[in-house]
Amino acid sequence: MIEFEKMTPLIHQTAIISPEAQLGRNVSVGPFSVIEGGVIIGDNVSIAAHCHIGIEPFDFRIKGDGIKVRKKSKLRVVIQDDVEIGSNVFIQKGTSQDTLISRFVTINNSVNIGHDVEIGEGTSIGFNCSVSGYSKIGIFNDLSPGVVVSNRVTLGKYCQVGIGSLVLHNFPDNQQILGQP
């Protein structure tokens, strides 16, 4: 019988980690990923290639003179323990609260998580999903590939969101959400 060694944690040599970021034990960061300051990563977290964690929020305000100004964040992205993040994932810092990725969350490739978002424990986010700013995704939800969650939407716990669905309003617990409800 062949025995394989356990893979050791790895920060790829092309990854860029801010000195102001905090990384827990057994954290892997893939090639060309960027971890900005104000990011806190728990233990046993895997971040694949080409991710950008802690991006300034895409949140604008109109000043009195009509000029659009990007709102800067002094908040964080918090990624709790035992999270797996695929390639090409972008996660923005919060503007009014920390962006939170809870324990045991899995995020597939090519996903965007907006500012001030909370992703509940055990949730799975499929390929090419987008969760817009200020949204709250409850525990143990399953977002199939191509799901778009609009701004300020709350999903209860144990919801299943079907492939390609556009979620424009809140849903309570234990819902099956399909299409453009």
Side-chain angles (χ1 to χ4, degrees):
M1 180 156 87
I2 299 173
E3 286 190 38
F4 293 95
E5 280 187 41
K6 266 191 149 171
M7 202 169 157
T8 56
L10 171 70
I11 306 300
H12 193 274
Q13 64 187 9
T14 61
I16 299 171
I17 312 289
S18 168
E20 288 86 37
Q22 298 175 32
L23 277 63
R25 294 174 294 139
N26 300 317
V27 172
S28 296
V29 180
F32 304 104
S33 287
V34 176
I35 310 296
E36 300 283 356
V39 173
I40 298 173
I41 299 174
D43 298 337
N44 308 311
V45 172
S46 172
I47 299 170
H50 299 279
C51 293
H52 197 154
I53 313 295
I55 302 168
E56 283 295 325
F58 196 75
D59 192 8
F60 294 87
R61 300 291 181 251
I62 306 296
K63 290 176 28 179
D65 55 6
I67 295 174
K68 191 185 274 189
V69 177
R70 179 175 265 192
K71 189 173 181 181
K72 294 287 184 180
S73 176
K74 294 181 181 167
L75 297 172
R76 310 171 299 184
V77 171
V78 177
I79 299 172
Q80 295 181 342
D81 299 343
D82 303 298
V83 169
E84 184 173 338
I85 298 174
S87 297
N88 300 307
V89 171
F90 300 93
I91 303 175
Q92 297 176 24
K93 291 190 273 190
T95 59
S96 62
Q97 66 180 31
D98 292 338
T99 299
L100 174 64
I101 312 298
S102 298
R103 296 173 351 128
F104 307 115
V105 167
T106 56
I107 300 174
N108 203 328
N109 302 326
S110 301
V111 170
N112 182 63
I113 306 292
H115 58 85
D116 301 271
V117 167
E118 291 180 29
I119 307 292
E121 183 174 319
T123 289
S124 177
I125 300 177
F127 173 78
N128 202 31
C129 287
S130 182
V131 181
S132 298
Y134 304 105
S135 293
K136 294 181 183 5
I137 310 298
I139 63 171
F140 298 103
N141 282 296
D142 184 12
L143 279 63
S144 296
V147 167
V148 175
V149 177
S150 188
N151 287 343
R152 302 182 188 279
V153 167
T154 298
L155 293 182
K157 54 189 175 185
Y158 304 105
C159 292
Q160 290 185 314
V161 185
I163 193 165
S165 294
L166 176 58
V167 184
L168 297 173
H169 59 84
N170 300 340
F171 284 90
D173 299 345
N174 302 302
Q175 299 296 302
Q176 187 175 46
I177 303 160
L178 302 170
Q180 186 177 342

